[in-house]
Amino acid sequence: MNPSRHSLQSLFEPRGVAVYGASATPGKLGHSVLVNLQKGGFPGVIIPVNPSAQLIEGLPSFPNLVDMRQQQPQTPVDCAFLAIPASAVAAALADCEQAGVSTVIIGASGFAELGDDDGLARQNQIAQWSRRTGIRVLGPNTNGILSVPDRLSLGYNSSHSQVFPLGTVSVVSHSGALFDAVARRLVDVGCGLARFVPVGNEADISMTEVMAWLIDDPHTQVIGLVIEGLDDGERFRALCLQARKRGKFVVGLKVGRSSRGALATMAHSRRMAGQARTYDALFDAAGVASVATIEALAGTCALLAQAAARPQAERALAAKDDRWIAVTTSGAGGAILADMTTVRGMVLAGQADGHWPPEVESRLAALPTSAPILNPIDTGSLGDWSLLDPTYAIVEAAGYFGPTLAFAHIAANDRMAQALLAALAARRARCAAPIAVLAPGGLGAAMERRYLDAGIPVFRDTAACLDSLAAAFGQLADDREWGEVSPAMLPEPVRAGAPRLLTELESAKLLAAAGIPVVPSHAARDVAQAQAAARTLGYPVVLKALAPGVAHKHDLGLVAVAIGSDAELGTRMAGMRSQLRAHHLDEAGTTWIVQPMLKAPLELIVGMTSEPGLGRFLMVGLGGLLAETLDTVDLFHIDHPDARIRHQLARSLTARALEKFSGQPLDAAIEQVMGLLANLRRFLREHEASIDSIDINPLLVGPGVFTAVDALVVLTDGEDKAG
């Protein structure tokens, strides 16, 4: 048996469950946990643990499990839920150890989530106990789990009291409080559940370990994730790629997307990456559908669960056509669909003006409609809504098998409503591409139930509907080869240590050795040497003061450009010396460098940032002094396939600037950037543990110019391992 599956089997498939803190008093957590187990139909043994009660909800109670073992030595108790205060947890764990429990769920709060030393110490004690005993721990600070195939509703969330339909979606969340929202939204869009696991503080069992178990779980086809933070991005990516290889989909919602600001005073790349872009890049590299809301998480999971039930050949065929067909029962609704799909880059089938190609349009014109049929297909133009089915037949004959989105309101009569449903259901039966109905005003409970029974989700929120469809189809259309994870995809983690900022000269030396084109720099100790260097290079020149510990020279007035003579250079250096003194910087330790004055119509920022726990990411965007103000960077995991980097760059604002200002065709300009990234990636591979971040800003780009004129390298541990 897979060791990971075995270690978590007692969590999902226990033969018996003990509830510490079980209570006969409604409203108490221990009462809710016990009653939810019973209402959910758990088929195993349930043992209430309460020192002051003998019978709770018809079940004999015991003061502890050791006593229970003495009286019932053959009773299996694989899992224990601790619905008790944090102060009582240690004693309960000792009891579980003596009684031979395999897994413990700690529902109490009061641990590391408090953010104080005492809470962290209590959690560390739990982690140490788990490692010593081999007993697995979920939590602390979790509200329990749901395992629908095993009829195990073990927790105190209000949704634990519900009986959910069995489905193929499993959700792992750092937040248990979102259980209600996610689970009920899934049901609303006609999707059942397999498992729901709030991992809490992850003292022992982590989100990635649960993911590994679910990848092997025959009941799970789609894994939804609500992520607060990951501490092992490379393992996460490897698991997601493994899931995709198995034909399973992963959908991720990252909550708390603001930047942590680590090393904020040093590297542009670290500031500009932030958590939002970093997680988006990690998700893309891992083949994860990234969503921004609970509604979109549920909707995307539901649509992918439908797709996962179709044969692989059908899914592959559907993924080849990204042209959307829109159906609307309202002219204004059609305009909304056209607008919303355009904003999301979703291409409507047919021509840009809404007309179909002439050969399709001529066949549609033969139908007895009241007006020409465009896309979006307005049912008002059909006259008889039953004409939607032959309309579909005509466009399918022309090769349109892409996703469908229908905008609907309550029809004037049931015959019309049923005609629309029948046509959409028939389309779904023929095509594996996603199909959904958007009904902001609802369709009535009975009609919505008919759609759900036909496997067509009904959305009431426009943004959630479009986001879900776009994310789901993006997963189907992702045609990467989901092969094995190679050792190169799992680099050594960045070592912790005091970061060290290299000077511009040191940084340029490293980057030049890596094959990055850098501007020549002449070092000088005084004005005479600087003037001599300038005459050698030829005026105009650039003068920079490299003061120890200063990352961004422009901010302190330590860069002077377009210097045209010896006299002007002397004046500028004197002014910079005044700036050094004004900012209390080490004037004696400052190095002066002189560079040729290069000009180009475009400035880029290119670099690398490492996000603790997540991995390394390449960055490309519009740069110069306004790099952070413009904030146009695109982020790519260091192991992003080149083809995907090219594809994303070609759609970016950077590409538009390259097309206009580089002086060469866009494809050639992108290949020039790709070459630089390849050199940068190779350099980083050779020095995995030493480099924290790299800024090349600006990289001048123009006719005959492709040169870095400033660079910043930050080491991780104070030692220049890359030198």
Side-chain angles (χ1 to χ4, degrees), residues 1-48:
M1 178 179 288
N2 183 311
S4 176
R5 277 196 67 80
H6 180 69
S7 67
L8 296 187
Q9 186 170 354
S10 59
L11 175 67
F12 292 102
E13 304 166 0
R15 296 168 298 169
V17 174
V19 180
Y20 284 76
S23 172
T25 305
K28 288 194 171 183
L29 295 186
H31 179 267
S32 297
V33 174
L34 197 65
V35 170
N36 291 340
L37 266 174
Q38 293 176 315
K39 289 175 64 175
F42 177 60
V45 179
I46 302 175
I47 304 295

Short mmCIF file of all heavy atoms in Angstrom, two decimals, residues 1-48:
data_model
loop_
_atom_site.label_atom_id
_atom_site.label_comp_id
_atom_site.label_asym_id
_atom_site.label_seq_id
_atom_site.Cartn_x
_atom_site.Cartn_y
_atom_site.Cartn_z
N MET A 1 0.85 -1.20 0.00
CA MET A 1 0.00 0.00 0.00
C MET A 1 0.88 1.25 0.00
O MET A 1 1.94 1.28 0.62
CB MET A 1 -0.91 0.00 1.24
CG MET A 1 -1.80 1.24 1.36
SD MET A 1 -2.88 1.18 2.82
CE MET A 1 -4.04 -0.07 2.31
N ASN A 2 0.48 2.25 -0.74
CA ASN A 2 1.18 3.53 -0.74
C ASN A 2 1.32 4.03 0.69
O ASN A 2 0.33 4.17 1.40
CB ASN A 2 0.38 4.53 -1.58
CG ASN A 2 1.08 5.86 -1.69
OD1 ASN A 2 1.51 6.43 -0.72
ND2 ASN A 2 1.16 6.36 -2.92
N PRO A 3 2.57 4.32 1.19
CA PRO A 3 2.74 4.75 2.58
C PRO A 3 1.92 5.98 2.92
O PRO A 3 1.39 6.10 4.03
CB PRO A 3 4.25 5.03 2.66
CG PRO A 3 4.86 4.24 1.57
CD PRO A 3 3.84 4.21 0.48
N SER A 4 1.81 6.93 1.98
CA SER A 4 1.03 8.13 2.25
C SER A 4 -0.43 7.79 2.45
O SER A 4 -1.09 8.31 3.35
CB SER A 4 1.20 9.13 1.09
OG SER A 4 0.38 10.25 1.29
N ARG A 5 -0.96 6.90 1.60
CA ARG A 5 -2.36 6.51 1.77
C ARG A 5 -2.55 5.81 3.12
O ARG A 5 -3.51 6.04 3.83
CB ARG A 5 -2.80 5.56 0.65
CG ARG A 5 -3.21 6.26 -0.61
CD ARG A 5 -3.99 5.33 -1.53
NE ARG A 5 -5.28 4.97 -0.97
CZ ARG A 5 -6.36 5.76 -1.03
NH1 ARG A 5 -6.29 6.95 -1.56
NH2 ARG A 5 -7.50 5.35 -0.52
N HIS A 6 -1.61 4.93 3.49
CA HIS A 6 -1.76 4.20 4.73
C HIS A 6 -1.76 5.16 5.92
O HIS A 6 -2.54 5.01 6.86
CB HIS A 6 -0.64 3.18 4.87
CG HIS A 6 -0.71 2.38 6.13
ND1 HIS A 6 -1.71 1.45 6.36
CD2 HIS A 6 0.06 2.38 7.24
CE1 HIS A 6 -1.54 0.91 7.55
NE2 HIS A 6 -0.47 1.45 8.11
N SER A 7 -0.88 6.16 5.88
CA SER A 7 -0.75 7.05 7.03
C SER A 7 -1.99 7.91 7.23
O SER A 7 -2.24 8.39 8.33
CB SER A 7 0.49 7.94 6.89
OG SER A 7 0.32 8.84 5.80
N LEU A 8 -2.77 8.13 6.18
CA LEU A 8 -3.98 8.96 6.31
C LEU A 8 -5.26 8.13 6.23
O LEU A 8 -6.34 8.70 6.30
CB LEU A 8 -4.00 10.04 5.22
CG LEU A 8 -2.89 11.09 5.28
CD1 LEU A 8 -3.14 12.18 4.25
CD2 LEU A 8 -2.77 11.70 6.66
N GLN A 9 -5.13 6.82 6.09
CA GLN A 9 -6.33 6.01 5.95
C GLN A 9 -7.21 6.10 7.18
O GLN A 9 -8.44 6.14 7.09
CB GLN A 9 -5.95 4.55 5.69
CG GLN A 9 -7.16 3.66 5.38
CD GLN A 9 -6.75 2.30 4.89
OE1 GLN A 9 -5.57 2.05 4.66
NE2 GLN A 9 -7.69 1.41 4.71
N SER A 10 -6.59 6.16 8.36
CA SER A 10 -7.38 6.23 9.58
C SER A 10 -8.07 7.58 9.74
O SER A 10 -9.01 7.71 10.53
CB SER A 10 -6.50 5.97 10.81
OG SER A 10 -5.45 6.90 10.88
N LEU A 11 -7.62 8.58 9.00
CA LEU A 11 -8.30 9.88 9.02
C LEU A 11 -9.57 9.83 8.19
O LEU A 11 -10.63 10.31 8.62
CB LEU A 11 -7.35 10.97 8.50
CG LEU A 11 -7.94 12.37 8.34
CD1 LEU A 11 -8.30 12.96 9.69
CD2 LEU A 11 -6.95 13.29 7.61
N PHE A 12 -9.48 9.27 6.98
CA PHE A 12 -10.62 9.27 6.07
C PHE A 12 -11.52 8.04 6.22
O PHE A 12 -12.71 8.11 5.93
CB PHE A 12 -10.13 9.35 4.62
CG PHE A 12 -9.49 10.65 4.27
CD1 PHE A 12 -8.12 10.77 4.20
CD2 PHE A 12 -10.27 11.78 4.02
CE1 PHE A 12 -7.52 11.98 3.88
CE2 PHE A 12 -9.68 12.99 3.70
CZ PHE A 12 -8.30 13.09 3.63
N GLU A 13 -10.94 6.93 6.65
CA GLU A 13 -11.69 5.67 6.69
C GLU A 13 -11.57 4.99 8.05
O GLU A 13 -11.20 3.81 8.14
CB GLU A 13 -11.17 4.75 5.58
CG GLU A 13 -11.24 5.38 4.19
CD GLU A 13 -10.42 4.61 3.16
OE1 GLU A 13 -9.81 3.59 3.53
OE2 GLU A 13 -10.39 5.03 1.99
N PRO A 14 -11.86 5.70 9.14
CA PRO A 14 -11.68 5.09 10.46
C PRO A 14 -12.76 4.03 10.74
O PRO A 14 -13.90 4.16 10.31
CB PRO A 14 -11.83 6.27 11.42
CG PRO A 14 -12.74 7.22 10.69
CD PRO A 14 -12.38 7.07 9.24
N ARG A 15 -12.37 3.01 11.48
CA ARG A 15 -13.36 2.01 11.91
C ARG A 15 -14.13 2.49 13.13
O ARG A 15 -15.27 2.10 13.35
CB ARG A 15 -12.65 0.69 12.23
CG ARG A 15 -11.97 0.03 11.03
CD ARG A 15 -11.05 -1.08 11.49
NE ARG A 15 -9.98 -0.56 12.34
CZ ARG A 15 -9.15 -1.31 13.05
NH1 ARG A 15 -9.27 -2.63 13.03
NH2 ARG A 15 -8.21 -0.76 13.80
N GLY A 16 -13.48 3.34 13.92
CA GLY A 16 -14.14 3.90 15.10
C GLY A 16 -13.59 5.27 15.40
O GLY A 16 -12.42 5.57 15.11
N VAL A 17 -14.44 6.13 15.98
CA VAL A 17 -14.07 7.52 16.27
C VAL A 17 -14.39 7.84 17.72
O VAL A 17 -15.50 7.54 18.20
CB VAL A 17 -14.82 8.50 15.35
CG1 VAL A 17 -14.52 9.94 15.76
CG2 VAL A 17 -14.43 8.28 13.90
N ALA A 18 -13.45 8.45 18.42
CA ALA A 18 -13.69 8.96 19.77
C ALA A 18 -13.86 10.47 19.72
O ALA A 18 -13.14 11.15 18.96
CB ALA A 18 -12.53 8.59 20.69
N VAL A 19 -14.79 10.99 20.49
CA VAL A 19 -15.03 12.43 20.54
C VAL A 19 -14.73 12.92 21.96
O VAL A 19 -15.52 12.68 22.89
CB VAL A 19 -16.47 12.78 20.15
CG1 VAL A 19 -16.68 14.30 20.21
CG2 VAL A 19 -16.79 12.26 18.76
N TYR A 20 -13.58 13.56 22.15
CA TYR A 20 -13.24 14.16 23.44
C TYR A 20 -14.03 15.46 23.60
O TYR A 20 -14.09 16.27 22.67
CB TYR A 20 -11.75 14.46 23.51
CG TYR A 20 -10.88 13.25 23.74
CD1 TYR A 20 -10.61 12.36 22.70
CD2 TYR A 20 -10.33 13.00 24.98
CE1 TYR A 20 -9.80 11.26 22.90
CE2 TYR A 20 -9.52 11.89 25.20
CZ TYR A 20 -9.26 11.03 24.16
OH TYR A 20 -8.46 9.92 24.36
N GLY A 21 -14.59 15.63 24.76
CA GLY A 21 -15.42 16.81 24.99
C GLY A 21 -16.84 16.60 24.53
O GLY A 21 -17.61 17.58 24.43
N ALA A 22 -17.22 15.35 24.26
CA ALA A 22 -18.60 15.06 23.87
C ALA A 22 -19.55 15.56 24.95
O ALA A 22 -19.27 15.43 26.15
CB ALA A 22 -18.78 13.56 23.65
N SER A 23 -20.65 16.16 24.51
CA SER A 23 -21.57 16.78 25.47
C SER A 23 -23.01 16.48 25.08
O SER A 23 -23.33 16.32 23.90
CB SER A 23 -21.34 18.30 25.50
OG SER A 23 -22.34 18.95 26.26
N ALA A 24 -23.85 16.42 26.11
CA ALA A 24 -25.28 16.26 25.88
C ALA A 24 -25.98 17.59 25.75
O ALA A 24 -27.20 17.64 25.52
CB ALA A 24 -25.90 15.46 27.04
N THR A 25 -25.23 18.68 25.84
CA THR A 25 -25.81 20.02 25.81
C THR A 25 -25.79 20.58 24.39
O THR A 25 -24.70 20.86 23.85
CB THR A 25 -25.05 20.97 26.74
OG1 THR A 25 -25.01 20.42 28.05
CG2 THR A 25 -25.71 22.35 26.76
N PRO A 26 -26.95 20.75 23.76
CA PRO A 26 -26.97 21.34 22.41
C PRO A 26 -26.29 22.72 22.41
O PRO A 26 -26.45 23.50 23.35
CB PRO A 26 -28.46 21.45 22.09
CG PRO A 26 -29.10 20.38 22.94
CD PRO A 26 -28.30 20.35 24.22
N GLY A 27 -25.55 22.98 21.35
CA GLY A 27 -24.85 24.25 21.24
C GLY A 27 -23.38 24.13 21.56
O GLY A 27 -22.57 24.95 21.09
N LYS A 28 -23.00 23.13 22.37
CA LYS A 28 -21.59 22.92 22.65
C LYS A 28 -20.94 22.19 21.48
O LYS A 28 -21.56 21.34 20.83
CB LYS A 28 -21.41 22.13 23.94
CG LYS A 28 -21.74 22.94 25.20
CD LYS A 28 -21.22 22.25 26.45
CE LYS A 28 -21.36 23.17 27.67
NZ LYS A 28 -20.80 22.56 28.89
N LEU A 29 -19.66 22.50 21.24
CA LEU A 29 -18.98 21.90 20.09
C LEU A 29 -18.96 20.38 20.18
O LEU A 29 -19.15 19.68 19.18
CB LEU A 29 -17.55 22.45 19.99
CG LEU A 29 -17.40 23.94 19.69
CD1 LEU A 29 -15.93 24.29 19.48
CD2 LEU A 29 -18.22 24.35 18.47
N GLY A 30 -18.72 19.86 21.39
CA GLY A 30 -18.67 18.41 21.54
C GLY A 30 -19.99 17.74 21.24
O GLY A 30 -20.02 16.60 20.76
N HIS A 31 -21.08 18.44 21.49
CA HIS A 31 -22.39 17.90 21.14
C HIS A 31 -22.58 17.91 19.63
O HIS A 31 -23.07 16.93 19.04
CB HIS A 31 -23.50 18.72 21.82
CG HIS A 31 -24.89 18.25 21.50
ND1 HIS A 31 -25.63 18.78 20.46
CD2 HIS A 31 -25.66 17.27 22.06
CE1 HIS A 31 -26.80 18.17 20.40
NE2 HIS A 31 -26.85 17.25 21.38
N SER A 32 -22.18 18.99 19.00
CA SER A 32 -22.33 19.10 17.54
C SER A 32 -21.52 18.02 16.82
O SER A 32 -22.01 17.39 15.87
CB SER A 32 -21.87 20.49 17.06
OG SER A 32 -22.68 21.50 17.60
N VAL A 33 -20.28 17.79 17.26
CA VAL A 33 -19.45 16.78 16.61
C VAL A 33 -20.11 15.41 16.71
O VAL A 33 -20.18 14.66 15.72
CB VAL A 33 -18.04 16.75 17.24
CG1 VAL A 33 -17.21 15.60 16.66
CG2 VAL A 33 -17.32 18.07 17.01
N LEU A 34 -20.62 15.08 17.89
CA LEU A 34 -21.23 13.77 18.10
C LEU A 34 -22.50 13.60 17.26
O LEU A 34 -22.68 12.59 16.57
CB LEU A 34 -21.57 13.60 19.59
CG LEU A 34 -21.85 12.18 20.09
CD1 LEU A 34 -20.60 11.32 19.95
CD2 LEU A 34 -22.31 12.22 21.54
N VAL A 35 -23.36 14.61 17.30
CA VAL A 35 -24.62 14.53 16.57
C VAL A 35 -24.37 14.50 15.06
O VAL A 35 -25.05 13.78 14.31
CB VAL A 35 -25.54 15.71 16.96
CG1 VAL A 35 -26.75 15.79 16.04
CG2 VAL A 35 -25.99 15.56 18.41
N ASN A 36 -23.40 15.27 14.58
CA ASN A 36 -23.10 15.29 13.15
C ASN A 36 -22.63 13.92 12.66
O ASN A 36 -22.96 13.49 11.55
CB ASN A 36 -22.05 16.35 12.83
CG ASN A 36 -22.58 17.76 13.01
OD1 ASN A 36 -23.80 17.98 13.00
ND2 ASN A 36 -21.68 18.72 13.18
N LEU A 37 -21.83 13.24 13.49
CA LEU A 37 -21.41 11.89 13.13
C LEU A 37 -22.62 10.97 12.97
O LEU A 37 -22.71 10.18 12.03
CB LEU A 37 -20.49 11.34 14.22
CG LEU A 37 -18.98 11.50 14.05
CD1 LEU A 37 -18.26 11.04 15.30
CD2 LEU A 37 -18.48 10.74 12.84
N GLN A 38 -23.54 11.09 13.90
CA GLN A 38 -24.73 10.23 13.86
C GLN A 38 -25.62 10.57 12.68
O GLN A 38 -26.07 9.69 11.94
CB GLN A 38 -25.51 10.37 15.18
CG GLN A 38 -24.77 9.81 16.39
CD GLN A 38 -25.53 10.05 17.69
OE1 GLN A 38 -26.04 11.15 17.92
NE2 GLN A 38 -25.60 9.03 18.53
N LYS A 39 -25.88 11.87 12.47
CA LYS A 39 -26.75 12.28 11.36
C LYS A 39 -26.15 11.93 10.01
O LYS A 39 -26.88 11.65 9.05
CB LYS A 39 -27.02 13.79 11.45
CG LYS A 39 -27.93 14.19 12.59
CD LYS A 39 -28.05 15.70 12.70
CE LYS A 39 -28.71 16.31 11.48
NZ LYS A 39 -28.92 17.77 11.65
N GLY A 40 -24.83 11.96 9.94
CA GLY A 40 -24.18 11.65 8.67
C GLY A 40 -24.20 10.17 8.34
O GLY A 40 -23.81 9.78 7.24
N GLY A 41 -24.61 9.35 9.30
CA GLY A 41 -24.71 7.91 9.04
C GLY A 41 -23.40 7.17 9.15
O GLY A 41 -23.21 6.12 8.51
N PHE A 42 -22.47 7.68 9.99
CA PHE A 42 -21.19 7.00 10.12
C PHE A 42 -21.40 5.55 10.56
O PHE A 42 -22.04 5.28 11.58
CB PHE A 42 -20.31 7.73 11.14
CG PHE A 42 -18.99 7.06 11.42
CD1 PHE A 42 -18.08 6.85 10.39
CD2 PHE A 42 -18.66 6.62 12.70
CE1 PHE A 42 -16.87 6.23 10.63
CE2 PHE A 42 -17.44 6.00 12.95
CZ PHE A 42 -16.54 5.80 11.91
N PRO A 43 -20.87 4.59 9.82
CA PRO A 43 -21.17 3.18 10.11
C PRO A 43 -20.29 2.56 11.19
O PRO A 43 -20.56 1.43 11.63
CB PRO A 43 -20.93 2.50 8.76
CG PRO A 43 -19.85 3.33 8.13
CD PRO A 43 -20.13 4.75 8.55
N GLY A 44 -19.24 3.29 11.60
CA GLY A 44 -18.32 2.71 12.57
C GLY A 44 -18.74 2.97 14.01
O GLY A 44 -19.85 3.44 14.29
N VAL A 45 -17.83 2.68 14.92
CA VAL A 45 -18.06 2.86 16.35
C VAL A 45 -17.85 4.32 16.72
O VAL A 45 -16.90 4.96 16.26
CB VAL A 45 -17.10 1.97 17.16
CG1 VAL A 45 -17.31 2.17 18.66
CG2 VAL A 45 -17.28 0.51 16.78
N ILE A 46 -18.73 4.86 17.58
CA ILE A 46 -18.60 6.22 18.08
C ILE A 46 -18.46 6.15 19.60
O ILE A 46 -19.32 5.58 20.28
CB ILE A 46 -19.82 7.09 17.71
CG1 ILE A 46 -20.02 7.12 16.18
CG2 ILE A 46 -19.66 8.51 18.25
CD1 ILE A 46 -21.28 7.84 15.74
N ILE A 47 -17.38 6.72 20.12
CA ILE A 47 -17.10 6.68 21.55
C ILE A 47 -17.08 8.11 22.11
O ILE A 47 -16.15 8.87 21.84
CB ILE A 47 -15.75 6.01 21.84
CG1 ILE A 47 -15.70 4.62 21.23
CG2 ILE A 47 -15.48 5.97 23.35
CD1 ILE A 47 -16.67 3.64 21.84
N PRO A 48 -18.10 8.53 22.87
CA PRO A 48 -18.02 9.82 23.55
C PRO A 48 -17.03 9.73 24.71
O PRO A 48 -16.99 8.73 25.44
CB PRO A 48 -19.44 10.05 24.06
CG PRO A 48 -20.30 9.05 23.36
CD PRO A 48 -19.40 7.88 23.06
#
